[in-house]
Amino acid sequence: MDRIRIIGGRPLNGTIQISGAKNAALPLMIASLLTDQMLVLENVPRLADVAQLQRILNNHGVDVMVGGKRPGESTYDGQTLLLSAARIVDTTAPYELVSRMRASFWVLAPLLARMGEAKVSLPGGCAIGTRPVDLLLMAMERLGAEIEIDGGYVVARAPNGLRGGEIVFPKVTVGGTHVALMAAALAQGATVIENAAREPEIVDLADCLNKMGAKIEGAGSARITVEGVSRLNGARHRVVADRIETGTYAMAVAMTGGDVTLQGAQAGLLQSALDVIGQTGADVTATNEGIRVARNGGGIRPVEVTTDPFPGFPTDLQAQLMALVSRASGISKITESIFENRFMHVQELARLGARISLDGDTATIEGVSRLKGAPVMATDLRASVSLVIAALAAEGETMVNRVYHLDRGFERLEDKLTACGASVERLSG
Ligand code: EPZ
């Protein structure tokens, strides 16, 4: 298993190209199941999760080709995927595949909408909490699906097709909103989704579905309406910039000091996080190129933050913020309101010298003046990268084990950081 060795204490200076968003690319790839024509996705990040979803889609009969580079594309552009689901050969998504990546459960919606049936394994537990799928199933039922659980599988049927309906989510759910959109796009009649997730990745999926011929209005607000159509076409779509990658590198600079331009980043996708980074004492400026983050000299100030659905502070940046304020001059409080148990990084940050105590869903972080490198290990993607950030600011050597978590969600992490002056090296085996 690969490890990453980081020698900390160097500021970051230079430019980092922001990749396409993993959490937009995955539902967009799944949307290819909705049409027999080709869906072309540009700016797809080269990540382990993307490769894994390609295998899952292959299993359903989707032909995935990787497009060649075009003149004018820089080497840092993401890949272009050409997805063609001319014929669905299998409507079952087996446990071995779904248990490795939760988002693959979302294939339920397009399979059901297009084929009238789907059998998808329940995803099982994951490192950041129980993460049920009850609301996703409720949404499918509201559109007329009959659902039963059999042998660990969700067996969903709509022999006469789905029909529009009213879906009221009691809690904001990104996955629930994604599947509701995909299913409603091909249902007969109108659907209203209330208390919809407003995340930029929802807007990106809705934009792509509309290019494919769907009739969706209101994406990005809490009320989305969908007028179902009988078929969808192929389209070409560019994946939105990754706001979590953007926030992660912004926090890295806020922690190590230096001056970095995050090229292609869009401030509007993560304003609440940029505001918090500003409160810690870094200068954050939106530019024509992207976002410039700098911290020269001054210390890190403590903050009090609660994670919330968009436009609130994202749970996917909670661990990174905790790393950042572990060196603040004062006491910070971070409350996690989305996932219970998303604090697996706390014990590992403590190994680097952070002082963090947990009380229910709130972490109290007493800033320390220095962190010291140590061997650490992480249990999920964002927790892993919080350790990388802390290691960049720690004295001496940190070895981050279980790097495969990072490969699931951060494209060319070592290259991007090394180009800005960090000492980050991947050790194989
Ligand atoms: C998406 O997960 C993201 N994943 C997560 O990113 C992200 O943390 C999360 O949204 C919140 O922003 C992808 O986009 C692939 P939810 P999702 O449904 O859709 C509860 C990362 O690191 N809930 O919005 O699975 C749930 O338990 C990942 O990239 C139900 O109770 O999250 C949670 O408390 C991690 N029943 C809350 O809703 C349901 O049926 C929000 O979850 C569904 C969800």
Side-chain angles (χ1 to χ4, degrees), residues 142 200 224 295 403:
R142 296 295 297 156
I224 304 179
R295 188 172 68 81
V403 169

Side-chain angles (χ1 to χ4, degrees), residues 24 28 39-44 80-81 203-209 211-212 235-240:
L28 287 166
L39 178 64
V40 181
L41 297 177
E42 296 169 356
N43 198 32
V44 178
T80 298
L81 292 187
V203 177
D204 208 32
L205 175 66
D207 284 350
C208 179
L209 291 173
K211 286 180 196 163
M212 293 164 73
R236 176 178 281 270
H237 182 80
R238 185 175 172 81
V239 178
V240 69

Side-chain angles (χ1 to χ4, degrees), residues 205-351:
L205 175 66
D207 284 350
C208 179
L209 291 173
N210 281 342
K211 286 180 196 163
M212 293 164 73
K215 294 186 176 155
I216 301 170
E217 283 180 16
S221 77
R223 186 172 196 270
I224 304 179
T225 57
V226 185
E227 188 62 46
V229 296
S230 58
R231 64 187 307 270
L232 292 170
N233 312 311
R236 176 178 281 270
H237 182 80
R238 185 175 172 81
V239 178
V240 69
D242 196 318
R243 66 195 165 100
I244 304 302
E245 189 196 30
T246 304
T248 300
Y249 290 126
M251 289 190 201
V253 182
M255 195 168 186
T256 60
D259 189 340
V260 170
T261 294
L262 303 169
Q263 210 165 37
Q266 295 173 36
L269 303 181
L270 74 161
Q271 198 53 57
S272 61
L274 296 179
D275 290 347
V276 170
I277 295 167
Q279 285 164 28
T280 67
D283 294 322
V284 180
T285 329
T287 68
N288 287 342
E289 257 184 292
I291 299 172
R292 183 173 165 201
V293 184
R295 188 172 68 81
N296 296 306
I300 299 168
R301 290 197 289 267
V303 293
E304 294 205 3
V305 172
T306 299
T307 63
D308 263 319
F310 191 86
F313 186 92
T315 172
D316 289 346
L317 286 173
Q318 180 255 107
Q320 298 89 316
L321 178 65
M322 201 175 295
L324 168 58
V325 296
S326 71
R327 282 200 50 217
S329 48
I331 293 176
S332 300
K333 280 192 191 296
I334 303 181
T335 301
E336 172 57 58
S337 81
I338 310 290
F339 293 112
E340 88 274 18
N341 201 22
R342 199 174 197 181
F343 282 128
M344 312 297 266
H345 42 284
V346 167
Q347 291 312 317
E348 298 299 306
L349 287 171
R351 293 176 54 76

Side-chain angles (χ1 to χ4, degrees), residues 22-24 26-27 49 102-103 106 128 130-137 171-176 178 197 199 201 243-244 308-309 314-316 337-340 342 380-382 408:
K22 167 180 85 82
N23 288 350
L26 300 179
D49 269 9
R102 281 187 58 85
W106 302 344
I128 62 174
T130 45
R131 300 181 78 187
V133 291
D134 55 325
L135 301 178
L136 283 68
L137 300 184
K171 182 175 194 177
V172 176
T173 155
V174 172
H178 279 316
E199 270 64 6
E201 294 76 22
R243 66 195 165 100
I244 304 302
D308 263 319
T315 172
D316 289 346
S337 81
I338 310 290
F339 293 112
E340 88 274 18
R342 199 174 197 181
D380 87 76
L381 166 61
R382 312 303 175 185
R408 286 187 40 219

